[in-house]
Amino acid sequence: MRFPFSLSWRLGWYLLRKRFSGQKRFALVLMLEPLHTCNLHCEGCGRIREYGGRLEDRLSVAECVAAADECAAPIVSLCGGEPLLYPELSELLKRLIAMGKHIYLCTNGTLLADRLSQLPRNRRIMLNIHLDGMEATHDALVGRSGAFGLALEGIRQAKHAGWFVYTNTTVYRHTDMSEIIVLFTFLTQLGVDGMMLSPAYGYEAVQTSAPERASAIFLTRQEIQQKFRTAWPMLRRFRVVASPIYLEFLCGRRQLGCAAWANPTFNRAGWRSPCYLRADRHYPTYQQLLEQTDWDSVGPGRDPRCQHCMVHCGFEPAAVLGRKGVRDWLRMAWWQLG
């Protein structure tokens, strides 16, 4: 199973309703950032660099719920920052569950074992733990010795307690794809429900603060395609939580436009435009984000800042929404139903 069965069906009906309504742009996943406080300082992350990390700058539960209601996405990805540091997390999860949302709780996992018992149990909550390699690699990338071991203990306890558990892995220029195969083999043995995978993208917040390091870790489009083409025969053995169309895109076998509007980001500054990784400005309302962002100028071939971006938050929704022909529809339906 790649997703809870209820999520696959709800997402399918949601897409059908939007198709029949004729609405051109709509949200699939709300990237909700209640705070930007974190207990790690990962090399590829720009959030603390952009917004600072003060706990008092967090969103209220009411503001989070209002954003989820405003954009009406069936899925909410709780990110940041480290959501397990959000003091009102339990209340927020209960409110989102009451709204019928499916929730990805994105965490670095270091606090998971300690905080797991405080989280409300519901099959619509999916834990998503970030792991960028085996122990030495992961600990180096997140800047903390022992982070890998803490995350693994959180995974073990969560699976023992019956949670849906996924992982998210970023592929950097120096990533050894053979090590990713070892990691995925290990995670499969632990009973992880699926593994997400996305290439690192050198967005401005990181490049500006550390340009030399950024050029050393981020990939060009050609390098991304080469890595994924080489690794795909091995990766396909695992429960990779990526659509077959998006994986073809990563391997350079298919072209996709960017659909960043389908995964809008909301945080203390407002609705981030145009995407999760770039912030040209923030809008006070979701409708203004949709109407005032020049979406036709966003993406590779349209903006030089997007030249090497192949990140899932922009292109996975394009894969889901832009399927062509009966073969694509059947493949996507088979993938969504697992």
Side-chain angles (χ1 to χ4, degrees), residues 139-189:
D139 287 358
L141 282 167
V142 304
R144 178 177 170 182
S145 178
F148 182 83
L150 290 171
L152 283 189
E153 181 57 28
I155 291 173
R156 289 189 181 100
Q157 291 195 24
K159 286 309 304 176
H160 181 73
W163 289 83
F164 281 116
V165 177
Y166 297 84
T167 59
N168 186 22
T169 299
T170 303
V171 175
Y172 293 94
R173 174 169 288 168
H174 51 71
T175 298
D176 182 346
M177 297 304 284
S178 297
E179 181 179 352
I180 301 302
I181 301 304
V182 173
L183 174 66
F184 283 9
T185 301
F186 182 51
L187 294 173
T188 300
Q189 293 169 351

Side-chain angles (χ1 to χ4, degrees), residues 67-139:
D69 184 59
E70 187 180 355
C71 81
I75 304 169
V76 176
S77 176
L78 284 181
C79 39
E82 171 50 58
L84 292 178
L85 291 172
Y86 185 63
E88 299 83 16
L89 179 59
S90 180
E91 180 188 352
L92 175 57
L93 289 171
K94 290 175 183 177
R95 294 282 297 275
L96 292 173
I97 290 166
M99 297 173 71
K101 304 297 184 183
H102 289 267
I103 303 158
Y104 272 118
L105 178 54
C106 302
T107 171
N108 58 48
T110 57
L111 301 171
L112 185 58
D114 291 336
R115 306 289 171 87
L116 194 62
S117 62
Q118 302 170 22
L119 303 179
R121 286 300 311 274
N122 192 284
R123 299 293 281 176
R124 290 206 298 270
I125 300 176
M126 297 159 281
L127 304 175
N128 189 352
I129 294 91
H130 197 103
L131 289 173
D132 282 339
M134 296 299 287
E135 184 171 13
T137 299
H138 179 74
D139 287 358

